[in-house]
Amino acid sequence: MTGHELRRLASSGVSVRLTGLDRTRRAGGGLAALVRDQHVTGATSDPAALTASLADSGAYDDLLRALAARGVTADAAVRTLTAEDARSACDALAPVHRETDGADGHVSVALDARLARDAEATVQQARALVREVGRPNATVEIPATDEGLGAVTACLAEGIGVNVTLLFSPERYDQAREAHLAGLEQALAAGRALGPIASAAAFPLGRIDAAVDTLLDRAGVGASEAKALRGTAALAVARLAHERFTAHLTTPRWQHLAAHGARPQRLLWASDTVPEPGPRATRRITELAVPGTAHTMPEATMRAVAAHGAVVPRTWTRHSYDASRKKLAYLKSFGIGFADVASALEEEGLKKSHASWHSLLDAVSPALDEGRS
């Protein structure tokens, strides 16, 4: 994989992050090579990737046998596997973390998806995981549910970095940004240094387009107009979130925190699916080459960007924001209320995360039983 377009993406001010951590990649020095050669500056865990690695390789057999001998539960084993993978990834990204003075080089680690509606349990697990990983560039992933946003504030107040996930609308992003502000204000009041406290706000943009496009295809009226709107909703959401982000940076509340060393909560565009071959596969990524943001993607998507991407740094203007606002409003002409779409996507995202976590537990349990036999 040539790193030319990925280098252009990074040089445009976009943090390139890998989705998926597992021992197979680690054993071959894969992440370290991506950091060194492909300009990767961060990583996010993915329970589905760990499940696939458990099924397709023997990379974890020795560790699972040792855990089985200790009589640990499947839950405890998953926590250990997750923490070990995160620790190794943090070490691979430590040079980036040092060179950027903590602005980049973070590893975002998933928590138990079953806790998404329990703020107190989420905070407790976040504390335990960060302590077990034991690296300054480890952060945790918390979904932007009502309960999750409370946990975001509590974690940030304790100095735990957070990647806020499952954001599907500018309005929900407003709440995530408020949770970030409140957490930093509490941290400052407690005398904590704000500079090391990292946060990102992650939008799974592919899911937005998939949901809206399906509804447009079903509209049955104004077929040509509906077709013209296909594949545009996610970019509109991204632009409107960016509009709010840039306006927020000028507020006295944020400037007070920034004067004490706080870093902005970075907008993160999440590509959670592997694209089809060809130039169109990377369109969303290249259109989102906005300085100061981040993009997380599977390694296959990185290959697609390297092969087909045409990265040009983007500058969004008032015209861009207004056009995006009109685009989302125009969906009502086809009977599509975007607020309803965003709410449904959040629920669907929680269900997928829950199912993915159960699949991981189901993959670990037989291996532990075999190790005990």
Side-chain angles (χ1 to χ4, degrees), residues 14 20 56 62 69 101 107 124 145 165 169 181 200 205 225 232 273 292 295 360 367:
V14 177
D56 298 338
D62 56 343
D101 193 27
V107 175
Q124 289 175 354
T145 61
T165 63
S169 71
L181 285 169
L205 297 179
E225 292 88 347
T232 65
T273 56
H295 210 128
L360 178 54

PDB file of all heavy atoms in Angstrom, residues 14 20 56 62 69 101 107 124 145 165 169 181 200 205 225 232 273 292 295 360 367:
ATOM      1  N   VAL A  14      -5.600  16.243   8.996  1.00  0.00           N
ATOM      2  CA  VAL A  14      -6.533  15.208   9.435  1.00  0.00           C
ATOM      3  C   VAL A  14      -5.763  14.107  10.158  1.00  0.00           C
ATOM      4  O   VAL A  14      -4.767  13.605   9.642  1.00  0.00           O
ATOM      5  CB  VAL A  14      -7.304  14.606   8.242  1.00  0.00           C
ATOM      6  CG1 VAL A  14      -8.218  13.479   8.708  1.00  0.00           C
ATOM      7  CG2 VAL A  14      -8.108  15.686   7.539  1.00  0.00           C
ATOM      8  N   GLY A  20      -9.864  -1.139  14.625  1.00  0.00           N
ATOM      9  CA  GLY A  20      -9.621  -2.566  14.829  1.00  0.00           C
ATOM     10  C   GLY A  20      -8.243  -2.849  15.378  1.00  0.00           C
ATOM     11  O   GLY A  20      -7.242  -2.528  14.741  1.00  0.00           O
ATOM     12  N   ASP A  56     -10.293 -16.878  13.612  1.00  0.00           N
ATOM     13  CA  ASP A  56      -9.486 -17.159  12.417  1.00  0.00           C
ATOM     14  C   ASP A  56      -8.016 -17.420  12.699  1.00  0.00           C
ATOM     15  O   ASP A  56      -7.257 -17.724  11.776  1.00  0.00           O
ATOM     16  CB  ASP A  56      -9.592 -15.977  11.436  1.00  0.00           C
ATOM     17  CG  ASP A  56     -11.021 -15.769  10.947  1.00  0.00           C
ATOM     18  OD1 ASP A  56     -11.803 -16.732  11.024  1.00  0.00           O
ATOM     19  OD2 ASP A  56     -11.342 -14.656  10.516  1.00  0.00           O
ATOM     20  N   ASP A  62      -2.488 -18.959  23.780  1.00  0.00           N
ATOM     21  CA  ASP A  62      -1.673 -19.066  24.989  1.00  0.00           C
ATOM     22  C   ASP A  62      -2.252 -18.253  26.127  1.00  0.00           C
ATOM     23  O   ASP A  62      -2.325 -18.700  27.277  1.00  0.00           O
ATOM     24  CB  ASP A  62      -0.229 -18.647  24.699  1.00  0.00           C
ATOM     25  CG  ASP A  62      -0.124 -17.241  24.117  1.00  0.00           C
ATOM     26  OD1 ASP A  62      -1.139 -16.700  23.629  1.00  0.00           O
ATOM     27  OD2 ASP A  62       0.991 -16.666  24.147  1.00  0.00           O
ATOM     28  N   ALA A  69      -6.741 -21.409  33.156  1.00  0.00           N
ATOM     29  CA  ALA A  69      -6.108 -22.037  34.314  1.00  0.00           C
ATOM     30  C   ALA A  69      -6.378 -21.256  35.593  1.00  0.00           C
ATOM     31  O   ALA A  69      -6.412 -21.824  36.690  1.00  0.00           O
ATOM     32  CB  ALA A  69      -4.602 -22.155  34.084  1.00  0.00           C
ATOM     33  N   ASP A 101       2.925  16.213  21.665  1.00  0.00           N
ATOM     34  CA  ASP A 101       2.677  16.707  23.023  1.00  0.00           C
ATOM     35  C   ASP A 101       1.283  16.331  23.507  1.00  0.00           C
ATOM     36  O   ASP A 101       0.593  17.117  24.160  1.00  0.00           O
ATOM     37  CB  ASP A 101       2.871  18.233  23.079  1.00  0.00           C
ATOM     38  CG  ASP A 101       2.950  18.760  24.504  1.00  0.00           C
ATOM     39  OD1 ASP A 101       3.353  17.997  25.402  1.00  0.00           O
ATOM     40  OD2 ASP A 101       2.578  19.934  24.729  1.00  0.00           O
ATOM     41  N   VAL A 107      -5.359   5.823  21.698  1.00  0.00           N
ATOM     42  CA  VAL A 107      -6.021   4.551  21.432  1.00  0.00           C
ATOM     43  C   VAL A 107      -7.342   4.564  22.178  1.00  0.00           C
ATOM     44  O   VAL A 107      -7.387   4.708  23.394  1.00  0.00           O
ATOM     45  CB  VAL A 107      -5.159   3.360  21.893  1.00  0.00           C
ATOM     46  CG1 VAL A 107      -5.917   2.052  21.714  1.00  0.00           C
ATOM     47  CG2 VAL A 107      -3.846   3.334  21.129  1.00  0.00           C
ATOM     48  N   GLN A 124     -17.265   3.266  36.269  1.00  0.00           N
ATOM     49  CA  GLN A 124     -16.471   2.293  37.027  1.00  0.00           C
ATOM     50  C   GLN A 124     -15.622   1.444  36.095  1.00  0.00           C
ATOM     51  O   GLN A 124     -14.427   1.209  36.367  1.00  0.00           O
ATOM     52  CB  GLN A 124     -17.395   1.408  37.868  1.00  0.00           C
ATOM     53  CG  GLN A 124     -18.035   2.120  39.042  1.00  0.00           C
ATOM     54  CD  GLN A 124     -19.035   1.250  39.787  1.00  0.00           C
ATOM     55  OE1 GLN A 124     -19.350   0.128  39.369  1.00  0.00           O
ATOM     56  NE2 GLN A 124     -19.554   1.758  40.895  1.00  0.00           N
ATOM     57  N   THR A 145     -25.665   8.139  24.508  1.00  0.00           N
ATOM     58  CA  THR A 145     -26.993   8.025  25.083  1.00  0.00           C
ATOM     59  C   THR A 145     -27.139   9.086  26.170  1.00  0.00           C
ATOM     60  O   THR A 145     -26.159   9.709  26.583  1.00  0.00           O
ATOM     61  CB  THR A 145     -27.201   6.639  25.703  1.00  0.00           C
ATOM     62  OG1 THR A 145     -26.220   6.461  26.754  1.00  0.00           O
ATOM     63  CG2 THR A 145     -27.028   5.532  24.681  1.00  0.00           C
ATOM     64  N   THR A 165     -19.180   8.150  21.092  1.00  0.00           N
ATOM     65  CA  THR A 165     -19.554   7.419  19.885  1.00  0.00           C
ATOM     66  C   THR A 165     -21.055   7.504  19.610  1.00  0.00           C
ATOM     67  O   THR A 165     -21.834   8.003  20.421  1.00  0.00           O
ATOM     68  CB  THR A 165     -19.146   5.940  20.000  1.00  0.00           C
ATOM     69  OG1 THR A 165     -19.862   5.338  21.086  1.00  0.00           O
ATOM     70  CG2 THR A 165     -17.649   5.813  20.261  1.00  0.00           C
ATOM     71  N   SER A 169     -26.495  13.191  14.743  1.00  0.00           N
ATOM     72  CA  SER A 169     -27.134  14.461  14.406  1.00  0.00           C
ATOM     73  C   SER A 169     -26.370  15.623  15.025  1.00  0.00           C
ATOM     74  O   SER A 169     -25.699  15.451  16.053  1.00  0.00           O
ATOM     75  CB  SER A 169     -28.579  14.488  14.911  1.00  0.00           C
ATOM     76  OG  SER A 169     -28.605  14.594  16.326  1.00  0.00           O
ATOM     77  N   LEU A 181     -17.503  20.031  27.839  1.00  0.00           N
ATOM     78  CA  LEU A 181     -17.254  21.284  28.558  1.00  0.00           C
ATOM     79  C   LEU A 181     -17.435  21.103  30.058  1.00  0.00           C
ATOM     80  O   LEU A 181     -16.592  21.534  30.860  1.00  0.00           O
ATOM     81  CB  LEU A 181     -18.192  22.373  28.051  1.00  0.00           C
ATOM     82  CG  LEU A 181     -17.889  22.998  26.689  1.00  0.00           C
ATOM     83  CD1 LEU A 181     -19.071  23.853  26.236  1.00  0.00           C
ATOM     84  CD2 LEU A 181     -16.613  23.837  26.746  1.00  0.00           C
ATOM     85  N   ALA A 200     -12.875  12.999  21.640  1.00  0.00           N
ATOM     86  CA  ALA A 200     -13.309  13.072  20.247  1.00  0.00           C
ATOM     87  C   ALA A 200     -14.810  12.822  20.205  1.00  0.00           C
ATOM     88  O   ALA A 200     -15.383  12.205  21.109  1.00  0.00           O
ATOM     89  CB  ALA A 200     -12.579  12.042  19.388  1.00  0.00           C
ATOM     90  N   LEU A 205     -20.643   7.991   9.734  1.00  0.00           N
ATOM     91  CA  LEU A 205     -21.316   8.638   8.612  1.00  0.00           C
ATOM     92  C   LEU A 205     -21.910   7.656   7.609  1.00  0.00           C
ATOM     93  O   LEU A 205     -22.953   7.916   7.008  1.00  0.00           O
ATOM     94  CB  LEU A 205     -20.348   9.587   7.912  1.00  0.00           C
ATOM     95  CG  LEU A 205     -19.853  10.756   8.782  1.00  0.00           C
ATOM     96  CD1 LEU A 205     -18.879  11.619   8.008  1.00  0.00           C
ATOM     97  CD2 LEU A 205     -21.017  11.597   9.287  1.00  0.00           C
ATOM     98  N   GLU A 225     -35.531  13.708  -8.016  1.00  0.00           N
ATOM     99  CA  GLU A 225     -35.072  14.556  -6.919  1.00  0.00           C
ATOM    100  C   GLU A 225     -34.541  13.706  -5.760  1.00  0.00           C
ATOM    101  O   GLU A 225     -33.532  14.036  -5.136  1.00  0.00           O
ATOM    102  CB  GLU A 225     -36.198  15.457  -6.424  1.00  0.00           C
ATOM    103  CG  GLU A 225     -36.624  16.525  -7.420  1.00  0.00           C
ATOM    104  CD  GLU A 225     -37.696  16.010  -8.374  1.00  0.00           C
ATOM    105  OE1 GLU A 225     -37.920  14.785  -8.408  1.00  0.00           O
ATOM    106  OE2 GLU A 225     -38.298  16.841  -9.068  1.00  0.00           O
ATOM    107  N   THR A 232     -25.899  12.139   0.264  1.00  0.00           N
ATOM    108  CA  THR A 232     -25.550  13.515   0.641  1.00  0.00           C
ATOM    109  C   THR A 232     -25.830  13.832   2.106  1.00  0.00           C
ATOM    110  O   THR A 232     -25.338  14.837   2.618  1.00  0.00           O
ATOM    111  CB  THR A 232     -26.332  14.528  -0.217  1.00  0.00           C
ATOM    112  OG1 THR A 232     -27.736  14.422   0.064  1.00  0.00           O
ATOM    113  CG2 THR A 232     -26.082  14.284  -1.703  1.00  0.00           C
ATOM    114  N   THR A 273     -17.273   0.550   7.669  1.00  0.00           N
ATOM    115  CA  THR A 273     -17.486  -0.521   6.696  1.00  0.00           C
ATOM    116  C   THR A 273     -16.365  -0.490   5.669  1.00  0.00           C
ATOM    117  O   THR A 273     -15.755   0.543   5.425  1.00  0.00           O
ATOM    118  CB  THR A 273     -18.824  -0.361   5.956  1.00  0.00           C
ATOM    119  OG1 THR A 273     -18.877   0.927   5.339  1.00  0.00           O
ATOM    120  CG2 THR A 273     -19.988  -0.481   6.923  1.00  0.00           C
ATOM    121  N   GLY A 292      -7.933  19.724  11.336  1.00  0.00           N
ATOM    122  CA  GLY A 292      -8.344  19.676  12.728  1.00  0.00           C
ATOM    123  C   GLY A 292      -9.302  18.559  13.069  1.00  0.00           C
ATOM    124  O   GLY A 292      -9.657  18.383  14.235  1.00  0.00           O
ATOM    125  N   HIS A 295     -10.211  10.949  11.070  1.00  0.00           N
ATOM    126  CA  HIS A 295     -10.972   9.941  10.340  1.00  0.00           C
ATOM    127  C   HIS A 295     -10.452   8.576  10.746  1.00  0.00           C
ATOM    128  O   HIS A 295      -9.255   8.296  10.613  1.00  0.00           O
ATOM    129  CB  HIS A 295     -10.829  10.130   8.831  1.00  0.00           C
ATOM    130  CG  HIS A 295     -12.044   9.676   8.084  1.00  0.00           C
ATOM    131  ND1 HIS A 295     -12.724  10.447   7.166  1.00  0.00           N
ATOM    132  CD2 HIS A 295     -12.735   8.512   8.152  1.00  0.00           C
ATOM    133  CE1 HIS A 295     -13.759   9.781   6.699  1.00  0.00           C
ATOM    134  NE2 HIS A 295     -13.782   8.600   7.274  1.00  0.00           N
ATOM    135  N   LEU A 360     -18.516 -11.564  20.995  1.00  0.00           N
ATOM    136  CA  LEU A 360     -17.160 -11.679  21.541  1.00  0.00           C
ATOM    137  C   LEU A 360     -17.153 -12.608  22.756  1.00  0.00           C
ATOM    138  O   LEU A 360     -16.275 -13.483  22.876  1.00  0.00           O
ATOM    139  CB  LEU A 360     -16.643 -10.291  21.913  1.00  0.00           C
ATOM    140  CG  LEU A 360     -15.250 -10.209  22.540  1.00  0.00           C
ATOM    141  CD1 LEU A 360     -14.207 -10.900  21.675  1.00  0.00           C
ATOM    142  CD2 LEU A 360     -14.869  -8.735  22.775  1.00  0.00           C
ATOM    143  N   ALA A 367     -13.303 -21.226  24.238  1.00  0.00           N
ATOM    144  CA  ALA A 367     -11.848 -21.307  24.361  1.00  0.00           C
ATOM    145  C   ALA A 367     -11.448 -21.472  25.828  1.00  0.00           C
ATOM    146  O   ALA A 367     -10.511 -22.219  26.130  1.00  0.00           O
ATOM    147  CB  ALA A 367     -11.213 -20.042  23.766  1.00  0.00           C
TER     148      ALA A 367
END
